[in-house]
Amino acid sequence: MHITKAGRIISTLADWERYAPPKSPHHWVDGRSAKEVARAWLAGSGMALPSEVSAALDAHPKFGPVLCWEAEPEAKLRFDTFSGEPRNSDLMVIASDSKGPYVLAVEAKADEPYGETVAEAFAAALERRIANPRSKGISRIEGLVSLLLQPREGAEPRADELRYQLLTACAGAIAEALRRNVSRAVMLVHEFVTSATTDEKHERNAVDLQRFLSRVAGTPVHPVADGQLYGPFAPPGNDGVELFIGKVSRNLRPKMR
């Protein structure tokens, strides 16, 4: 049970910052997701999963108590054959229980948004296609939508309204499961409620996750419960990997007396 990056063992916050820093040093601050996910996963000398993570896994019938695990921060997970930067997972965990190994891709959030919408990503990809006819951005978006989303029914959100980052996070988890020849892939949002975050932004993220999950499930999900894994889902193009999606939260705000 250890956390490593490029062969280096990470056992302290200083190790994490040195060997697996976030893209911007401005993100490495107390109360924000990059530093708080490191703190949470290093607690207990990195020998045990964060309690909220293990509780969510133990509560789902497709999972059992974790027997062993290893993790890599800032893991590059390529989910298609197109050029460009791979999917960057905040923490990629390979865990094993009595049913065998599985991939756990952790998306750390304080109250940062899930990035641009699919519509915004498509518009940017279209501009790149105009500038360079060989650009594959549009094909990438089409592949993600085909891989993950069920046909829209009723009042479910349109595909273009969804957050693009959630599609790439799930695709990265599935791709890593396929590379490792394992049959379960979990995309888990690890949320941190801190004095630097706002309830309004947490609620925005909760709505975005709920809307995305409803399209993956093909049925409305209201709301996404904290500490619960949803699935298994068998998206149309996943080649036999069962996908699970969930969110766990850690409240770090000072307790009121």
Side-chain angles (χ1 to χ4, degrees):
M1 300 183 187
H2 53 267
I3 301 171
T4 61
K5 186 69 177 180
R8 300 182 179 94
I9 293 177
I10 294 175
S11 58
T12 67
L13 281 175
D15 291 340
W16 197 303
E17 183 182 15
R18 180 179 180 184
Y19 300 129
K23 287 184 177 180
S24 170
H26 300 297
H27 296 162
W28 189 258
V29 294
D30 292 339
R32 307 311 302 175
S33 61
K35 195 170 185 179
E36 295 306 337
V37 74
R39 203 191 310 272
W41 283 79
L42 288 170
S45 301
M47 295 302 294
L49 297 177
S51 58
E52 60 270 27
V53 175
S54 59
L57 292 167
D58 290 349
H60 195 286
K62 284 279 189 173
F63 295 87
V66 172
L67 303 175
C68 61
W69 61 274
E70 59 184 39
E72 178 190 356
E74 300 294 327
K76 306 290 187 183
L77 306 182
R78 188 171 292 280
F79 55 79
D80 58 29
T81 60
F82 303 136
S83 61
E85 187 176 352
R87 162 68 191 170
N88 198 72
S89 180
D90 293 315
L91 191 69
M92 193 274 292
V93 183
I94 304 301
S96 293
D97 57 18
S98 61
K99 300 176 178 64
Y102 58 90
V103 168
L104 174 62
V106 176
E107 187 71 17
K109 289 292 174 190
D111 62 0
E112 306 93 345
Y114 292 112
E116 62 191 350
T117 64
V118 172
E120 291 166 338
F122 189 90
L126 185 59
E127 292 295 344
R128 293 195 299 273
R129 173 72 67 83
I130 293 170
N132 177 10
R134 292 178 295 179
S135 175
K136 301 298 183 182
I138 292 175
S139 297
R140 170 168 284 164
I141 294 170
E142 291 173 340
L144 286 167
V145 169
S146 298
L147 170 70
L148 290 165
L149 301 186
Q150 299 291 344
R152 180 173 181 252
E153 295 184 5
E156 289 181 0
R158 300 194 314 268
D160 66 322
E161 299 172 330
L162 304 178
R163 294 290 175 175
Y164 185 65
Q165 190 178 99
L166 291 169
L167 274 77
T168 60
C170 288
I174 292 171
E176 189 65 22
L178 289 170
R179 273 192 290 273
R180 293 176 178 269
N181 196 30
V182 301
S183 61
R184 292 172 293 168
V186 182
M187 195 286 286
L188 184 70
V189 176
H190 200 169
E191 178 187 61
F192 299 91
V193 180
T194 78
S195 57
T197 67
T198 68
D199 292 340
E200 291 79 9
K201 290 180 180 179
H202 285 296
E203 177 58 27
R204 174 206 61 205
N205 283 356
V207 170
D208 284 336
L209 183 60
Q210 174 265 317
R211 289 159 63 84
F212 172 73
L213 185 53
S214 295
R215 285 301 305 268
V216 174
T219 186
V221 178
H222 298 292
V224 177
D226 180 47
Q228 182 174 336
L229 287 186
Y230 294 81
F233 305 116
N238 72 343
D239 292 328
V241 173
E242 292 183 318
L243 174 65
F244 302 82
I245 300 171
K247 185 187 81 171
V248 297
S249 294
R250 176 170 288 203
N251 193 329
L252 298 172
R253 289 177 180 167
K255 291 183 172 59
M256 299 293 290
R257 292 186 177 182

PDB file of all heavy atoms in Angstrom, residues 6 43 52 93 114 129 142 150 160 213 222 235:
ATOM      1  N   ALA A   6       6.641   8.092 -10.665  1.00  0.00           N
ATOM      2  CA  ALA A   6       7.886   7.847 -11.401  1.00  0.00           C
ATOM      3  C   ALA A   6       8.902   7.097 -10.549  1.00  0.00           C
ATOM      4  O   ALA A   6      10.091   7.416 -10.550  1.00  0.00           O
ATOM      5  CB  ALA A   6       8.470   9.156 -11.910  1.00  0.00           C
ATOM      6  N   ALA A  43      -2.881  10.595   5.052  1.00  0.00           N
ATOM      7  CA  ALA A  43      -3.183  10.403   6.473  1.00  0.00           C
ATOM      8  C   ALA A  43      -2.975   8.940   6.848  1.00  0.00           C
ATOM      9  O   ALA A  43      -3.261   8.032   6.075  1.00  0.00           O
ATOM     10  CB  ALA A  43      -4.617  10.834   6.767  1.00  0.00           C
ATOM     11  N   GLU A  52     -13.921   7.874   4.219  1.00  0.00           N
ATOM     12  CA  GLU A  52     -15.123   8.086   3.411  1.00  0.00           C
ATOM     13  C   GLU A  52     -15.063   7.303   2.101  1.00  0.00           C
ATOM     14  O   GLU A  52     -16.098   6.883   1.563  1.00  0.00           O
ATOM     15  CB  GLU A  52     -15.339   9.581   3.149  1.00  0.00           C
ATOM     16  CG  GLU A  52     -14.214  10.286   2.405  1.00  0.00           C
ATOM     17  CD  GLU A  52     -13.155  10.873   3.292  1.00  0.00           C
ATOM     18  OE1 GLU A  52     -12.952  10.358   4.428  1.00  0.00           O
ATOM     19  OE2 GLU A  52     -12.509  11.858   2.876  1.00  0.00           O
ATOM     20  N   VAL A  93      -5.833   5.033  -8.635  1.00  0.00           N
ATOM     21  CA  VAL A  93      -5.619   3.993  -7.634  1.00  0.00           C
ATOM     22  C   VAL A  93      -5.909   2.635  -8.254  1.00  0.00           C
ATOM     23  O   VAL A  93      -6.921   2.460  -8.944  1.00  0.00           O
ATOM     24  CB  VAL A  93      -6.539   4.215  -6.408  1.00  0.00           C
ATOM     25  CG1 VAL A  93      -6.271   3.168  -5.331  1.00  0.00           C
ATOM     26  CG2 VAL A  93      -6.370   5.626  -5.857  1.00  0.00           C
ATOM     27  N   TYR A 114     -16.483  21.703 -12.827  1.00  0.00           N
ATOM     28  CA  TYR A 114     -16.070  20.580 -13.667  1.00  0.00           C
ATOM     29  C   TYR A 114     -15.718  21.055 -15.080  1.00  0.00           C
ATOM     30  O   TYR A 114     -15.991  20.377 -16.062  1.00  0.00           O
ATOM     31  CB  TYR A 114     -17.184  19.538 -13.751  1.00  0.00           C
ATOM     32  CG  TYR A 114     -17.452  18.807 -12.446  1.00  0.00           C
ATOM     33  CD1 TYR A 114     -18.654  19.003 -11.765  1.00  0.00           C
ATOM     34  CD2 TYR A 114     -16.524  17.922 -11.916  1.00  0.00           C
ATOM     35  CE1 TYR A 114     -18.912  18.325 -10.582  1.00  0.00           C
ATOM     36  CE2 TYR A 114     -16.778  17.245 -10.738  1.00  0.00           C
ATOM     37  CZ  TYR A 114     -17.969  17.452 -10.070  1.00  0.00           C
ATOM     38  OH  TYR A 114     -18.227  16.786  -8.892  1.00  0.00           O
ATOM     39  N   ARG A 129     -10.424  22.918 -35.822  1.00  0.00           N
ATOM     40  CA  ARG A 129     -10.594  22.229 -37.104  1.00  0.00           C
ATOM     41  C   ARG A 129     -10.504  23.224 -38.272  1.00  0.00           C
ATOM     42  O   ARG A 129      -9.927  22.923 -39.317  1.00  0.00           O
ATOM     43  CB  ARG A 129     -11.946  21.497 -37.130  1.00  0.00           C
ATOM     44  CG  ARG A 129     -12.329  20.875 -38.469  1.00  0.00           C
ATOM     45  CD  ARG A 129     -11.513  19.653 -38.823  1.00  0.00           C
ATOM     46  NE  ARG A 129     -11.781  18.556 -37.917  1.00  0.00           N
ATOM     47  CZ  ARG A 129     -12.811  17.715 -38.037  1.00  0.00           C
ATOM     48  NH1 ARG A 129     -13.682  17.868 -39.031  1.00  0.00           N
ATOM     49  NH2 ARG A 129     -12.971  16.742 -37.182  1.00  0.00           N
ATOM     50  N   GLU A 142     -17.053  13.274 -30.145  1.00  0.00           N
ATOM     51  CA  GLU A 142     -18.011  12.288 -30.642  1.00  0.00           C
ATOM     52  C   GLU A 142     -17.751  10.918 -30.033  1.00  0.00           C
ATOM     53  O   GLU A 142     -18.689  10.186 -29.673  1.00  0.00           O
ATOM     54  CB  GLU A 142     -17.931  12.213 -32.172  1.00  0.00           C
ATOM     55  CG  GLU A 142     -18.460  13.461 -32.867  1.00  0.00           C
ATOM     56  CD  GLU A 142     -18.221  13.435 -34.370  1.00  0.00           C
ATOM     57  OE1 GLU A 142     -17.340  12.665 -34.830  1.00  0.00           O
ATOM     58  OE2 GLU A 142     -18.909  14.185 -35.080  1.00  0.00           O
ATOM     59  N   GLN A 150     -26.278   7.477 -22.710  1.00  0.00           N
ATOM     60  CA  GLN A 150     -27.480   6.803 -23.195  1.00  0.00           C
ATOM     61  C   GLN A 150     -28.323   7.804 -23.986  1.00  0.00           C
ATOM     62  O   GLN A 150     -28.202   9.021 -23.806  1.00  0.00           O
ATOM     63  CB  GLN A 150     -28.287   6.259 -22.014  1.00  0.00           C
ATOM     64  CG  GLN A 150     -27.552   5.232 -21.172  1.00  0.00           C
ATOM     65  CD  GLN A 150     -27.326   3.925 -21.903  1.00  0.00           C
ATOM     66  OE1 GLN A 150     -27.959   3.650 -22.924  1.00  0.00           O
ATOM     67  NE2 GLN A 150     -26.417   3.113 -21.402  1.00  0.00           N
ATOM     68  N   ASP A 160     -24.911  18.485 -24.906  1.00  0.00           N
ATOM     69  CA  ASP A 160     -24.061  19.678 -24.982  1.00  0.00           C
ATOM     70  C   ASP A 160     -24.056  20.485 -23.690  1.00  0.00           C
ATOM     71  O   ASP A 160     -23.182  21.333 -23.478  1.00  0.00           O
ATOM     72  CB  ASP A 160     -24.482  20.558 -26.162  1.00  0.00           C
ATOM     73  CG  ASP A 160     -25.868  21.152 -25.983  1.00  0.00           C
ATOM     74  OD1 ASP A 160     -26.765  20.462 -25.461  1.00  0.00           O
ATOM     75  OD2 ASP A 160     -26.066  22.312 -26.383  1.00  0.00           O
ATOM     76  N   LEU A 213     -24.708  12.050 -14.455  1.00  0.00           N
ATOM     77  CA  LEU A 213     -25.009  10.682 -14.049  1.00  0.00           C
ATOM     78  C   LEU A 213     -26.344  10.209 -14.619  1.00  0.00           C
ATOM     79  O   LEU A 213     -26.493   9.045 -15.014  1.00  0.00           O
ATOM     80  CB  LEU A 213     -25.006  10.594 -12.522  1.00  0.00           C
ATOM     81  CG  LEU A 213     -25.193   9.219 -11.883  1.00  0.00           C
ATOM     82  CD1 LEU A 213     -24.193   8.210 -12.426  1.00  0.00           C
ATOM     83  CD2 LEU A 213     -25.075   9.326 -10.370  1.00  0.00           C
ATOM     84  N   HIS A 222     -31.885  11.663  -8.685  1.00  0.00           N
ATOM     85  CA  HIS A 222     -32.178  12.871  -7.888  1.00  0.00           C
ATOM     86  C   HIS A 222     -32.109  12.541  -6.405  1.00  0.00           C
ATOM     87  O   HIS A 222     -32.952  11.786  -5.903  1.00  0.00           O
ATOM     88  CB  HIS A 222     -33.570  13.404  -8.208  1.00  0.00           C
ATOM     89  CG  HIS A 222     -33.779  13.844  -9.608  1.00  0.00           C
ATOM     90  ND1 HIS A 222     -33.159  14.946 -10.160  1.00  0.00           N
ATOM     91  CD2 HIS A 222     -34.555  13.327 -10.590  1.00  0.00           C
ATOM     92  CE1 HIS A 222     -33.554  15.102 -11.414  1.00  0.00           C
ATOM     93  NE2 HIS A 222     -34.391  14.130 -11.703  1.00  0.00           N
ATOM     94  N   PRO A 235     -21.826   1.307 -20.439  1.00  0.00           N
ATOM     95  CA  PRO A 235     -22.000   2.248 -21.545  1.00  0.00           C
ATOM     96  C   PRO A 235     -21.778   1.570 -22.888  1.00  0.00           C
ATOM     97  O   PRO A 235     -21.082   0.547 -22.976  1.00  0.00           O
ATOM     98  CB  PRO A 235     -20.925   3.313 -21.272  1.00  0.00           C
ATOM     99  CG  PRO A 235     -20.670   3.215 -19.808  1.00  0.00           C
ATOM    100  CD  PRO A 235     -20.814   1.771 -19.483  1.00  0.00           C
TER     101      PRO A 235
END
